[in-house]
Amino acid sequence: MEAKRSLLAIFLLLSFLSISTAAPTRKTRTRKPCKSMVFYFHDIIYNGHNAKNATSAIVGSPQWGNKTILTGQNHFGDLVVFDDPITLDNNLHSKPVGRAQGFYIYDKKDIFTAWLGFSFVFNSTQHKGSINFAGADPLMNKTRDISVIGGTGDFFMARGVATLMTDAFEGEVYFRLRTDINLYECW
Amino acid sequence: MEAKRSLLAIFLLLSFLSISTAAPTRKTRTRKPCKSMVFYFHDIIYNGHNAKNATSAIVGSPQWGNKTILTGQNHFGDLVVFDDPITLDNNLHSKPVGRAQGFYIYDKKDIFTAWLGFSFVFNSTQHKGSINFAGADPLMNKTRDISVIGGTGDFFMARGVATLMTDAFEGEVYFRLRTDINLYECW
Amino acid sequence: MEAKRSLLAIFLLLSFLSISTAAPTRKTRTRKPCKSMVFYFHDIIYNGHNAKNATSAIVGSPQWGNKTILTGQNHFGDLVVFDDPITLDNNLHSKPVGRAQGFYIYDKKDIFTAWLGFSFVFNSTQHKGSINFAGADPLMNKTRDISVIGGTGDFFMARGVATLMTDAFEGEVYFRLRTDINLYECW
């Protein structure tokens, strides 16, 4: 009798657990980040006169554009390649902790907007490995969310969301982006 | 005696459950989408004469190409940036519900094929946020699958597969893509 | 009495299991690949004289570059589109099992480094579907890890890491990459 009751309890428990584990990828996800980091990176676009300091350059442009001046119509069609220093604070001259490497393409005529594909590459005692990003960057918004699509090394298989904020800009040559990285998948 | 039997049952249950939860990311995945959506987007390539209506433009081309006419050899090497309206039906003049923004590069000489990196960007009462895509698009196939590599806002951390279908095209200036999005990871 | 003891055991078991299933996406991940594959791909860059054999071409370059010769400063700013044969061994003339299609952009002035966005596209009896990649490729390192950001067909929803190794190169026209793919998410 008691064994029966125990078995019934076990059966109920089993049923309950079957349900709760049936789709763990859907029900047990939490929006609490497993890792959060803040970085700044600094972009100095080549303009024909700053070859020494420039960290990026226009390498594609529409028919009406050129490769030393960002084109009209909100730079629509300009493709820029960059290798920008990453710092822990908002000072361009702080010791870089890594490099932001990749490209952006301005892709809208009536407002500044770009599409980004790039990586943060780290090789220091603090971080080794890379974080890969992709997404739309509507520059005029105070904050813009893009995707962390993968990672290697210390960031093996990472996924998450990065929030970009324009921290400063000077004309159309220098701009600084604050990047709040929140990973929701850590391995 | 009965307690022993119960404990044995519990032990067996525990073993069973340990196995079943050991690798949930492998065994419990289902190929049933957690979200399905259908959209159309409309691409009008700049050809030197349609600056007003064009939603995209050639911004890179091989040595033998130019930026107003898609080049020979199945457009191999042409890089196109776009900001295309997204609609819920196949009518170019329907009210857009978002923008498809990013780029494609024709990457094969002997057949039309492109590589795509782009986002669907929504900012309406219905959808807020973005879906990010990447993948190969062998245009001549009736259906082509690319990856949903991430998302933000309403599509936070989304992953899935998008099936592209050429719904219509006019010469080499206008084409319309139907996009069936199936998400298999929703948060 | 015995039933009570059993129920206590069940309660403890339940507590234990609740904890162990609470965050399966964090605690139960294993770094053992669910699928491993090795491929080679072969890139022959168009240089103005090899139109017949070339599998890739420069389609973007900085102001100081051109589209038939990779530019100085470690090719900084050169954007190359490719459609390269994939083979199972390191022989360019082996029967291709698929195509590597996409682009790379050299993105650093003081050393060879590129950013890659591409797909492996298979359509044979052995493999059907695609694997999508993105990431930084510091070419001078013996091994470089990039991300598998998605997949379709046989590689539906795949995620993982690919390790690139330069297997051979001839001048600045031909190079061969060994790619060790390790998937950690298989569906």
Side-chain angles (χ1 to χ4, degrees):
Chain A
M1 171 63 194
E2 277 170 3
K4 263 187 204 161
R5 224 187 286 161
S6 303
L7 286 172
L8 178 65
I10 289 166
F11 176 77
L12 289 174
L13 172 58
L14 180 61
S15 309
F16 167 75
L17 284 161
S18 300
I19 292 161
S20 73
T21 59
T25 55
R26 294 202 193 166
K27 299 203 178 159
T28 55
R29 291 186 185 288
T30 164
R31 292 206 181 189
K32 198 165 153 280
C34 46
K35 193 173 184 72
S36 294
M37 295 172 287
V38 177
F39 295 106
Y40 293 80
F41 66 100
H42 307 262
D43 198 55
I44 303 170
I45 305 176
Y46 175 71
N47 66 358
H49 307 292
N50 59 353
K52 238 186 191 167
N53 296 327
T55 64
S56 65
I58 304 170
V59 302
S61 59
Q63 186 217 8
W64 58 88
N66 68 62
K67 293 187 182 160
T68 45
I69 303 171
L70 288 166
T71 190
Q73 299 197 47
N74 295 291
H75 315 337
F76 176 76
D78 283 335
L79 166 63
V80 176
V81 175
F82 61 90
D83 168 38
D84 292 348
I86 301 171
T87 58
L88 294 176
D89 61 18
N90 65 0
N91 187 337
L92 168 61
H93 303 292
S94 293
K95 192 173 184 287
V97 296
R99 307 295 293 190
Q101 300 180 329
F103 72 96
Y104 49 87
I105 314 189
Y106 288 97
D107 58 15
K108 199 166 173 66
K109 287 182 201 167
D110 51 0
I111 201 171
F112 289 119
T113 288
W115 202 85
L116 294 167
F118 68 104
S119 303
F120 275 9
V121 180
F122 300 98
N123 188 12
S124 68
T125 47
Q126 208 181 349
H127 297 299
K128 277 193 205 314
S130 64
I131 305 174
N132 300 318
F133 304 87
D137 179 14
L139 294 162
M140 303 312 286
N141 295 3
K142 202 185 159 194
T143 66
R144 297 89 71 178
D145 284 351
I146 61 171
S147 291
V148 173
I149 57 174
T152 67
D154 290 354
F155 308 101
F156 178 78
M157 289 290 285
R159 287 191 78 228
V161 170
T163 302
L164 303 178
M165 284 157 275
T166 305
D167 192 58
F169 63 94
E170 286 170 24
E172 298 200 326
V173 170
Y174 173 72
F175 65 87
R176 182 168 69 227
L177 287 179
R178 180 185 155 128
T179 311
D180 287 19
I181 300 174
N182 286 297
L183 303 181
Y184 297 90
E185 292 193 16
C186 303
W187 284 60
Chain B
M1 172 60 193
E2 276 169 3
K4 265 189 202 160
R5 222 186 287 160
S6 302
L7 286 173
L8 178 66
I10 290 166
F11 175 77
L12 289 174
L13 173 58
L14 180 60
S15 309
F16 167 76
L17 284 162
S18 299
I19 292 161
S20 73
T21 58
T25 55
R26 294 200 193 168
K27 300 204 178 159
T28 55
R29 292 186 183 289
T30 164
R31 293 208 180 189
K32 197 165 154 283
C34 45
K35 193 172 183 73
S36 294
M37 296 171 286
V38 178
F39 295 106
Y40 293 81
F41 65 100
H42 307 261
D43 197 55
I44 303 169
I45 305 176
Y46 174 71
N47 66 358
H49 308 291
N50 59 353
K52 237 187 193 167
N53 295 327
T55 63
S56 66
I58 304 171
V59 303
S61 59
Q63 185 218 8
W64 59 89
N66 68 61
K67 293 190 181 156
T68 44
I69 303 171
L70 288 166
T71 190
Q73 298 198 49
N74 294 291
H75 314 337
F76 176 77
D78 283 335
L79 166 63
V80 177
V81 174
F82 61 91
D83 168 37
D84 293 347
I86 301 171
T87 58
L88 294 176
D89 61 18
N90 65 0
N91 187 339
L92 169 61
H93 303 293
S94 294
K95 191 171 183 288
V97 296
R99 307 295 294 189
Q101 301 180 329
F103 71 96
Y104 50 88
I105 313 188
Y106 288 97
D107 57 15
K108 201 166 171 64
K109 288 182 201 167
D110 52 0
I111 201 170
F112 289 118
T113 288
W115 202 86
L116 294 166
F118 68 104
S119 302
F120 275 9
V121 180
F122 300 98
N123 188 12
S124 68
T125 48
Q126 207 180 351
H127 297 300
K128 277 194 206 312
S130 63
I131 304 174
N132 299 318
F133 304 87
D137 178 15
L139 295 163
M140 304 311 286
N141 295 3
K142 201 183 161 195
T143 65
R144 298 89 71 177
D145 284 350
I146 61 172
S147 291
V148 173
I149 58 175
T152 66
D154 290 355
F155 308 100
F156 179 79
M157 288 290 286
R159 286 192 77 228
V161 170
T163 303
L164 302 178
M165 284 158 275
T166 304
D167 192 60
F169 62 94
E170 286 169 26
E172 299 200 324
V173 170
Y174 173 71
F175 65 88
R176 182 169 68 227
L177 287 179
R178 180 185 156 127
T179 311
D180 288 19
I181 299 173
N182 286 297
L183 303 182
Y184 298 90
E185 292 193 15
C186 303
W187 283 60
Chain C
M1 172 62 194
E2 277 169 2
K4 264 189 203 160
R5 222 186 288 160
S6 302
L7 287 173
L8 178 66
I10 288 165
F11 176 76
L12 289 173
L13 173 58
L14 180 62
S15 309
F16 167 75
L17 284 161
S18 299
I19 291 161
S20 74
T21 58
T25 55
R26 295 202 191 165
K27 299 203 178 162
T28 55
R29 291 186 184 288
T30 165
R31 291 208 182 188
K32 196 165 154 283
C34 46
K35 193 173 184 73
S36 294
M37 297 172 285
V38 178
F39 296 106
Y40 294 80
F41 66 101
H42 308 262
D43 197 55
I44 303 170
I45 304 176
Y46 175 71
N47 65 358
H49 308 292
N50 60 352
K52 237 187 191 164
N53 295 327
T55 63
S56 65
I58 304 170
V59 303
S61 59
Q63 186 217 8
W64 58 88
N66 68 61
K67 294 189 182 157
T68 46
I69 302 170
L70 288 165
T71 190
Q73 298 197 48
N74 294 290
H75 314 338
F76 177 76
D78 283 335
L79 166 62
V80 176
V81 174
F82 61 91
D83 168 38
D84 294 347
I86 301 170
T87 58
L88 294 176
D89 61 18
N90 65 359
N91 187 339
L92 170 60
H93 303 292
S94 294
K95 191 173 183 289
V97 297
R99 307 295 294 189
Q101 300 180 328
F103 71 97
Y104 50 88
I105 313 188
Y106 288 97
D107 58 15
K108 200 167 172 64
K109 287 182 202 168
D110 52 0
I111 202 171
F112 289 119
T113 288
W115 202 86
L116 294 167
F118 68 104
S119 302
F120 274 10
V121 180
F122 300 98
N123 187 13
S124 69
T125 47
Q126 207 180 350
H127 297 300
K128 277 193 206 313
S130 63
I131 305 174
N132 300 318
F133 304 87
D137 179 14
L139 295 162
M140 303 313 285
N141 295 3
K142 203 186 159 192
T143 65
R144 296 89 72 176
D145 285 350
I146 61 171
S147 292
V148 173
I149 58 174
T152 66
D154 290 355
F155 308 100
F156 179 79
M157 288 290 287
R159 286 192 78 229
V161 170
T163 302
L164 303 178
M165 283 157 275
T166 305
D167 192 59
F169 62 94
E170 285 170 26
E172 299 200 324
V173 170
Y174 173 72
F175 65 88
R176 182 168 70 227
L177 287 178
R178 179 185 157 129
T179 311
D180 288 19
I181 300 173
N182 287 297
L183 303 181
Y184 298 90
E185 292 193 16
C186 303
W187 284 59

